[in-house]
Amino acid sequence: MLLLFFLIDIGVSWGWIPLVIFILPFLFIDCNLGLFILSFFRPKKSFQNKVVWITGASSGIGEEFAYEMARMGATLVLSARRQSELERVRNNCQDSEKHIVVPLDLDNFSSHKDIVSHVFDKVQRVDLFVNNAARGQQSLAVDTLFSVDELLIRTNTL
């Protein structure tokens, strides 16, 4: 608004006003303008009565995805290696009491069958599975042990 008064005060013609009104939203939003506008029209509870299982939910993209799915009404199954972080994420989610935490190490294949059975005993079905878990390694290839490479491949691709 102050910019508009400044433009009028210095004698700028009214032809610039639509341009200023078009540019102003870009100063206040942190995303694509189209997505910003669509956010007002999307269903707020489009995942109501859906069960979403998210691996890698303890931090990063998995954590943010969990918050968004909870906001949209989903029941969450949160999995990662660090149970304390999963509890923190669950407590920060909307309707936290309806979400469950299931510690899971994707490298330990022998535990998968029991964990999947446990999840289905709790929620009966999974409508969406988000395999977001990953590991990274920051070292030169020549300095990295083969066992580390094997662990990365098992977690990130299998």
Side-chain angles (χ1 to χ4, degrees):
M1 199 61 158
L2 184 61
L3 179 64
L4 180 63
F5 289 128
F6 174 74
L7 291 174
I8 292 171
D9 188 45
I10 62 171
V12 174
S13 72
W14 287 99
W16 287 91
I17 300 303
L19 181 61
V20 170
I21 291 171
F22 177 75
I23 291 174
L24 278 178
F26 290 104
L27 300 176
F28 299 104
I29 60 174
D30 186 25
C31 65
N32 176 304
L33 184 59
L35 291 176
F36 177 73
I37 292 168
L38 286 175
S39 71
F40 293 106
F41 300 105
R42 72 176 167 187
K44 298 297 183 198
K45 295 290 184 180
S46 58
F47 277 83
Q48 195 72 39
N49 302 319
K50 302 288 186 195
V51 177
V52 179
W53 187 352
I54 305 170
T55 66
S58 61
S59 64
I61 293 171
E63 178 179 357
E64 293 302 319
F65 191 73
Y67 296 147
E68 183 67 16
M69 289 291 102
R71 188 187 66 73
M72 295 175 78
T75 298
L76 302 178
V77 178
L78 303 172
S79 292
R81 287 174 285 142
R82 301 174 294 172
Q83 183 167 358
S84 61
E85 288 298 306
L86 289 172
E87 294 290 347
R88 179 188 58 79
V89 170
R90 183 182 75 173
N91 291 334
N92 289 334
C93 284
Q94 192 171 353
D95 299 325
S96 62
E97 65 282 348
K98 75 176 189 177
H99 311 305
I100 65 170
V101 167
V102 180
L104 169 65
D105 187 356
L106 289 178
D107 303 329
N108 185 0
F109 294 124
S110 62
S111 70
H112 291 184
K113 185 175 182 179
D114 294 335
I115 290 172
V116 169
S117 296
H118 172 71
V119 168
F120 279 92
D121 287 344
K122 292 262 190 189
V123 295
Q124 284 71 50
R125 71 179 199 287
V126 173
D127 298 302
L128 177 63
F129 180 76
V130 181
N131 194 14
N132 180 64
R135 287 189 188 227
Q137 175 67 21
Q138 296 179 349
S139 67
L140 296 174
V142 70
D143 297 332
T144 305
L145 298 173
F146 179 74
S147 61
V148 172
D149 288 334
E150 187 178 35
L151 180 66
L152 293 173
I153 290 170
R154 273 202 323 258
T155 303
N156 298 341
T157 60
L158 298 181

